[in-house]
Amino acid sequence: MGPQGATGGADAVDPKVRRMAMLAAADQAIGKESDILDSLAAAFSEAGYHLYLVGGSVRDALLGRLGEDLDFTTDARPEATREILDAWADVVWDTGIEFGTLSAERHGRQVEITTFRADTYDQVSRNPEVTFGDTLEGDLVRRDFRCNAIAVELHGDGSRTFLDPLGGFEDCVAGVLDTPGAPEVSFGDDPLRMLRACRFSSQLGFDVAPRVREALNEMADEIERITVERITVELNKLIGGADPSRGIDLMVDSGLADLVIPEISDMKMTQDEHRQHKDVYQHSLQVMRQAIDQEAPGEPDLVLRWAALLHDCGKPATRSYNEQGNVTFYQHEVVGSKLVRRRLKKLKFPKKTIQEISQLVYLHMRFHGYGEGKWTDSAVRRYVTDAGDLLERLNKIVRADCTTRNRRKAARLARACDSLEERIVELAEKEDLARVRPDLDGNEIMEILDLQPGKQVGQAWNYLKELRLESGPMEREDAILALKKWWHEQEEKEQHDGA
């Protein structure tokens, strides 16, 4: 599969035509930024330095997807860059000046400029000894992939020149990820680049070169040198890509997933001899793809994507066979939810994100407890209440979880989803389903039962909430009668137990 650009797949277009089209598209995209680029280039030129647009900015311009983030490199040392930017920009940040990087903003647009680097690595940590270089090629050769090692020199007169000493342009044309030097050296310098290969495969739709794939397979365990925080950033970028299945496949096949998130590769279960269950791994990828298809335009919904991918991760630990020899996965949603919480906690995901993803995994089977047209008011209330703010995402996962090729079964499940959502709307018109609370609050309970704050008040509140879920809203007088009856039964039970 070729890169995803404005000119279509690489296989569908003559390479020469594609090269010309990509260069023209890039030149046009960069030209649209002339308001900021020309003045910045002129400022560096007047000071006697060169300025280059570089890295992902050039790659994305060639692929027809240039965004607002613009990255530059220069032969100017950090102190000289700071002096130039102070005169040119509205605001300058020098928090990265130790590494040769300064950021600036002019007329609401941000830029990041880094002095040529010629770092050296010890092949033990991923922290380089930062040294500044003297040549553009020396700076480019230290980058992760050749497609990210293309530069555009910006001249002071507004003209520009494409520079590609390492062949990154041809990689963009072919849709290939390859390293500037030997991949073993590149990944040894910084093992995070292995996960970046998976991430770029997801974001760009690129394949990895054979030598890169071989190095991934041989060096996967080097990823353990990387901090968990950096791994998590790459995982989120991967799953937020245009086609995360590509990146996940590469991560699983190379063995990286075994080390960073084994719950994914564990789903590659060997099917039983009768093939009574689906390939859980492939099914999960398909569910994720179908969930993505339901996303609203804009930013990817990472919570939805993670939950869809991991919804069945509890199946490997719960697979069993009943007396008839049929395969079962009883309570896999409960086990899966626990696995997700444990793994995401190790990966240091935010607490709220962990709660949301694990809750969606826990709830994804709730829908299947009811057949088409069999949703009672009580069942709808409980479904909505348990889902809470996750209701819309839960409904998307339920729909995405249908990957059967049986058209009748698929149509039946779709009708059941439609029926549930219709019932939710109908009941919501009568009740406030977003806030199902008891008909009496804690203060009223204490006053009616003459109680002090404590456990008994909480028990009474929980009883009224269950009653509310089961029966719907009640008149105040009916709620009071129900509360008093329940309290009387509790007192009688205590007396009986104490006798």
Side-chain angles (χ1 to χ4, degrees):
M1 179 177 177
Q4 298 169 349
T7 57
D11 296 334
V13 182
D14 180 272
K16 292 182 179 180
V17 175
R18 182 167 177 76
R19 289 187 189 95
M20 294 176 61
M22 290 176 69
L23 281 172
D27 191 63
Q28 183 178 19
I30 294 170
K32 290 180 180 179
E33 303 292 340
S34 60
D35 286 349
I36 190 169
L37 297 183
D38 291 353
S39 63
L40 183 60
F44 274 82
S45 179
E46 289 169 6
Y49 298 105
H50 298 274
L51 182 70
Y52 306 86
L53 187 67
V54 73
S57 298
V58 180
R59 178 203 69 215
D60 287 346
L62 287 166
L63 298 177
R65 46 187 290 167
L66 179 63
E68 292 195 355
D69 293 334
L70 301 176
D71 296 327
F72 304 84
T73 190
T74 179
D75 56 341
R77 290 297 192 257
E79 297 76 13
T81 299
R82 176 63 194 256
E83 186 175 340
I84 294 169
L85 291 178
D86 280 339
W88 176 83
D90 300 324
V91 184
V92 178
W93 298 274
D94 62 1
T95 52
I97 196 169
E98 179 183 354
F99 302 98
T101 300
L102 290 98
S103 301
E105 181 177 304
R106 176 184 167 100
H107 304 330
R109 290 296 307 277
Q110 291 188 11
V111 299
E112 186 173 279
I113 303 174
T114 302
T115 298
F116 289 164
R117 295 266 292 268
D119 305 339
T120 57
Y121 292 82
D122 58 13
Q123 294 278 320
V124 177
S125 70
R126 70 173 294 265
N127 300 316
E129 179 183 345
V130 177
T131 57
F132 299 127
D134 298 312
T135 67
L136 173 67
E137 186 168 351
D139 180 87
L140 296 178
V141 77
R142 51 168 285 278
R143 294 176 181 266
D144 52 5
F145 299 103
R146 295 192 311 209
C147 65
N148 296 329
I150 312 169
V152 176
E153 183 170 7
L154 305 170
H155 303 291
D157 60 2
S159 63
R160 47 192 173 269
T161 305
F162 279 81
L163 303 168
D164 180 28
L166 303 174
F169 177 49
E170 290 304 315
D171 285 356
C172 287
V173 173
V176 172
L177 284 172
D178 203 351
T179 51
E184 296 82 2
V185 176
S186 180
F187 296 160
D189 286 346
D190 184 359
L192 188 66
R193 290 170 176 170
M194 294 188 290
L195 269 184
R196 286 169 67 85
C198 301
R199 187 246 289 188
F200 285 129
S201 180
S202 164
Q203 290 180 324
L204 307 176
F206 281 17
D207 295 321
V208 294
R211 67 173 188 161
V212 171
R213 183 176 290 275
E214 184 177 348
L216 287 173
N217 296 340
E218 293 177 353
M219 302 180 65
D221 59 355
E222 291 290 313
I223 198 65
E224 295 181 328
R225 289 163 45 194
I226 303 301
T227 63
V228 68
E229 291 86 354
R230 293 297 299 126
I231 287 173
T232 298
V233 168
E234 289 300 324
L235 288 175
N236 278 327
K237 289 181 178 179
L238 185 161
I239 205 165
D243 185 7
S245 295
R246 292 176 64 92
I248 292 168
D249 271 337
L250 181 57
M251 188 169 62
V252 169
D253 292 344
S254 66
L256 284 167
D258 292 336
L259 299 164
V260 299
I261 184 163
E263 288 74 14
I264 297 177
S265 48
D266 286 349
M267 290 190 289
K268 275 202 159 186
M269 300 165 58
T270 302
Q271 288 186 301
D272 61 281
E273 59 180 334
H274 302 296
R275 296 184 178 273
Q276 292 180 333
H277 69 79
K278 298 174 182 177
D279 180 333
V280 178
Y281 173 71
Q282 291 298 333
H283 165 74
S284 298
L285 292 182
Q286 181 63 18
V287 171
M288 179 183 64
R289 286 190 288 265
Q290 293 181 175
I292 291 172
D293 288 341
Q294 299 178 67
E295 285 182 348
E299 291 296 316
D301 187 340
L302 299 187
V303 168
L304 176 68
R305 294 185 179 202
W306 277 119
L309 175 64
L310 297 171
H311 76 286
D312 275 349
C313 72
K315 280 190 171 181
T318 58
R319 181 168 65 173
S320 184
Y321 297 89
N322 59 24
E323 294 179 354
Q324 291 75 38
N326 296 321
V327 66
T328 64
F329 301 100
Y330 289 132
Q331 299 226 310
H332 72 273
E333 70 277 15
V334 178
V335 173
S337 179
K338 292 179 180 178
L339 289 173
V340 167
R341 284 200 301 273
R342 189 179 305 132
R343 177 57 53 192
L344 298 188
K345 185 176 181 180
K346 287 183 179 179
L347 289 170
K348 298 186 179 181
F349 273 64
K351 289 183 178 179
K352 183 174 184 291
T353 303
I354 294 173
Q355 173 59 29
E356 290 175 338
I357 296 172
S358 62
Q359 184 69 354
L360 285 169
V361 172
Y362 177 73
L363 293 174
H364 84 272
M365 289 296 292
R366 188 68 57 89
F367 166 84
H368 298 285
Y370 301 89
E372 184 178 352
K374 296 182 180 179
W375 284 86
T376 64
D377 288 354
S378 174
V380 173
R381 290 190 196 98
R382 292 180 186 279
Y383 182 87
V384 173
T385 300
D386 289 345
D389 293 338
L390 300 172
L391 179 62
E392 185 176 354
R393 286 177 170 138
L394 179 59
N395 287 341
K396 289 178 180 178
I397 289 177
V398 167
R399 287 188 180 276
D401 200 15
C402 176
T403 60
T404 179
R405 295 181 180 179
N406 184 315
R407 292 185 178 181
R408 290 186 178 181
K409 184 177 180 181
R412 185 169 66 251
L413 287 170
R415 287 196 303 270
C417 290
D418 292 340
S419 175
L420 170 58
E421 293 185 3
E422 289 169 2
R423 296 283 293 110
I424 291 173
V425 172
E426 290 173 3
L427 206 57
E429 291 176 349
K430 303 174 185 176
E431 310 173 17
D432 183 8
L433 288 181
R435 293 184 60 198
V436 176
R437 300 179 62 82
D439 295 284
L440 302 172
D441 63 26
N443 290 328
E444 291 172 310
I445 290 171
M446 288 189 289
E447 181 180 347
I448 292 167
L449 300 181
D450 192 23
L451 295 174
Q452 296 298 314
K455 183 171 68 174
Q456 291 175 317
V457 178
Q459 292 172 340
W461 191 91
N462 286 332
Y463 164 73
L464 287 175
K465 181 175 181 180
E466 285 297 311
L467 187 63
R468 170 72 171 77
L469 287 168
E470 189 66 33
S471 306
M474 301 176 68
E475 296 292 339
R476 176 179 170 80
E477 292 75 11
D478 293 335
I480 292 173
L481 286 174
L483 175 64
K484 288 181 175 180
K485 179 182 178 183
W486 173 82
W487 183 247
H488 178 68
E489 291 172 352
Q490 300 307 302
E491 289 180 325
E492 286 188 337
K493 181 179 179 181
E494 286 183 6
Q495 292 173 1
H496 179 270
D497 292 344

